[in-house]
Amino acid sequence: MTLPVAPYAPPVPRPALLALDEALSRLLALAVPLADTESVCTFESDGRVLAQDLISALQVPPQDNSSMDGYAVRCLDVAQALQAAGALAGTLPVSQRIAAGSEGAALALKSVARIFTGAPIPLGADAVVMQEDCELISTAGEGGGQAVRIKCLPTPGQWIRRAGEDVTQGAVVLSKGERLTPAALGLAASIGVNRLQVARRPRVALFSTGDELVMPGDVPPEKMKPGAIYNSNRFFLRALLLRLGCEVSDLGIVPDRLDATVAALQSAAQSHDLILTSGGVSVGEEDHIKPAVQALGSLDLWQIAIKPGKPFAHGRVAEAHFIGLPGNPVSSFVTFLLLVRPFLLQLQSGAQVAAKSIALKAHFTWARADKRREFLRVRRNAAGGLDLFPNQSSGVLTSAVWGDGLVDNPPGQTIAFGDEVRFIPFSELLG
């Protein structure tokens, strides 16, 4: 008996791996900045992205002032007093007292003014002698005034903060696109700004799919069914989104059915700028996310040449962006930092979307070169080098907790002990 021969079916070609820089360039090209801005109290603006240049209407400091508690002096008067003979050499009378927030009179000849930090320098004074270099004494003259014995010769400009040395009037002190920090808020306050115009927060819908997922607290560890796992990705993704200034709608775990996935996507697209999921974006993986997004809009599945990471999806559901991250925890974490973070900053018109790396020495050996660009979890040691977490598996989330950054290792490259590598601190990526 002759069995029928099935027609030849050529193998499905694997999609070409996309370089990370190319993937990021494509993604950022799609991230049209949000047009809406809002006025926010300076107190509440930490982490927000500035929507317009902040220009100072005044100079800081507004006038020359003292940077020390001490005595405002005329250097020539002190020099002459120090040349005097006897026990009172270097002694000058105190003619006035100037506190911060007050304005003194012109400095009388051959006298000093008691002055405090931040107080304006009186006309005629050209230096401040800090109080540690002076000795206060009483004089027996009329009124029983005070004098000080100055122990050293000051130089002109000593301990004086010049008007405008911090900020000049009309200067751009903070630029559009800057992500505001605590120091930036202080700088804005120093020029009298109590409200800042900032980009609207991106609205992000976050949900998970998969009947294997269980929320911590719903089922105790001893009662977990075989194959069930706790939904860890949802926790760190939500925290990362909040750190980037997003408004997050946590939609929970969507039932693993096509109709439920379509309904969740349709609802999320109506009021969000981005829908973010993890898992179900690998080529050939059976999951309802892909057909649901394709049914409602468009979807591109990318295979990115990074490790950990690789599977990544971007699409549109109505007017909302869709991004699908890989399901393995470290892959999802790293891919978010490398791609989703700059995407969200771009939505807010952020000027600095690229993370900065620094050159440090590897205090480890990495002999297994990979064809993909690798991001190794490491941490700095007391010797100023980098130690490597021993297990670099994409499922070992412990590595991201233990480490304080990533080594950006080019494809095909090994690392020998002592080699200089590119280190990206988590402080650059999570701040």
Side-chain angles (χ1 to χ4, degrees):
M1 178 178 178
T2 304
L3 295 176
V5 179
Y8 172 74
V12 177
R14 289 179 175 269
L17 294 180
L18 188 65
L20 175 62
D21 291 343
E22 174 64 19
L24 181 57
S25 178
R26 291 188 191 182
L27 194 62
L28 293 181
L30 300 169
V32 178
L34 301 173
D36 302 338
T37 65
E38 56 184 335
S39 175
V40 177
C41 172
T42 303
F43 269 126
E44 307 300 327
S45 299
D46 184 35
R48 303 298 294 271
V49 175
L50 197 60
Q52 61 186 29
D53 289 345
L54 189 63
I55 300 172
S56 179
L58 73 162
Q59 61 182 7
V60 181
Q63 63 275 315
D64 292 355
N65 69 86
S66 177
S67 62
M68 287 285 177
D69 291 345
Y71 297 88
V73 303
R74 186 181 290 105
C75 292
L76 180 60
D77 291 345
V78 176
Q80 292 174 346
L82 286 170
Q83 292 172 0
L88 295 180
T91 300
L92 291 168
V94 179
S95 59
Q96 59 179 309
R97 182 180 185 275
I98 310 173
S102 64
E103 185 176 3
L107 183 64
L109 288 173
K110 298 187 182 302
S111 75
V112 301
R114 178 67 165 129
I115 197 166
F116 297 89
T117 302
I121 301 297
L123 183 66
D126 58 7
V128 171
V129 181
M130 59 182 180
Q131 60 190 22
E132 290 85 349
D133 292 330
C134 300
E135 179 186 355
L136 183 64
I137 59 177
S138 297
T139 60
E142 184 179 349
Q146 290 185 321
V148 291
R149 181 182 294 112
I150 298 174
K151 303 173 185 178
C152 60
L153 179 63
T155 56
Q158 174 179 297
W159 303 123
I160 293 177
R161 292 188 292 223
R162 295 300 182 187
E165 75 172 32
D166 187 7
V167 176
T168 58
Q169 188 174 4
V172 176
V173 296
L174 294 170
S175 299
K176 177 182 177 180
E178 284 192 44
R179 194 158 174 235
L180 296 167
T181 63
L185 302 189
L187 181 58
S190 76
I191 61 171
V193 176
N194 71 325
R195 298 192 71 83
L196 293 165
Q197 200 71 19
V198 297
R200 173 174 67 78
R201 294 181 185 274
R203 294 188 286 263
V204 182
L206 175 66
F207 68 85
S208 308
T209 61
D211 291 339
E212 78 279 8
L213 296 177
V214 176
M215 282 298 292
D218 289 352
V219 179
E222 65 274 11
K223 294 185 179 180
M224 288 281 280
K225 295 179 181 178
I229 57 172
Y230 286 119
N231 188 356
S232 60
N233 292 14
R234 180 174 164 189
F235 284 80
F236 66 70
L237 289 175
R238 180 179 182 275
L240 288 168
L241 290 168
L242 291 175
R243 286 197 177 202
L244 286 168
C246 299
E247 292 180 6
V248 182
S249 301
D250 189 340
L251 304 184
I253 301 173
V254 174
D256 207 1
R257 303 192 317 269
L258 180 59
D259 62 335
T261 306
V262 169
L265 289 168
Q266 283 179 319
S267 176
Q270 295 175 10
S271 55
H272 294 91
D273 305 299
L274 170 65
I275 303 168
L276 182 67
T277 68
S278 65
V281 295
S282 296
V283 174
E285 186 173 346
E286 293 185 4
D287 188 270
H288 298 306
I289 286 287
K290 289 183 290 185
V293 174
Q294 290 169 335
L296 297 171
S298 61
L299 183 68
D300 286 325
L301 295 172
W302 295 343
Q303 294 289 292
I304 303 177
I306 59 172
K307 185 180 180 181
K310 195 176 180 181
F312 184 86
H314 176 271
R316 298 297 292 255
V317 179
E319 297 301 314
H321 293 275
F322 171 83
I323 289 180
L325 299 176
N328 279 327
V330 182
S331 297
S332 185
F333 180 74
V334 171
T335 309
F336 182 100
L337 296 179
L338 299 178
L339 291 166
V340 182
R341 172 188 171 273
F343 178 85
L344 288 168
L345 290 177
Q346 179 94 341
L347 283 185
Q348 299 174 76
S349 300
Q352 296 291 335
V353 298
K356 298 176 183 176
S357 63
I358 56 178
L360 289 178
K361 299 287 187 182
H363 287 180
F364 61 87
T365 298
W366 186 251
R368 305 187 300 273
D370 196 277
K371 64 180 180 180
R372 290 180 281 168
R373 185 171 169 183
E374 297 176 287
F375 290 89
L376 308 173
R377 277 77 71 204
V378 296
R379 75 176 177 192
R380 283 173 281 199
N381 56 38
L386 297 170
D387 293 329
L388 181 74
F389 192 78
N391 189 339
Q392 292 288 315
S393 168
S394 61
V396 181
L397 196 54
T398 310
S399 64
V401 177
W402 175 91
D404 58 12
L406 304 169
V407 163
D408 181 359
N409 192 41
Q413 183 164 306
T414 59
I415 301 173
F417 191 100
D419 283 352
E420 194 171 82
V421 294
R422 292 176 58 197
F423 172 67
I424 308 174
F426 281 148
S427 59
E428 271 288 313
L429 298 165
L430 304 178

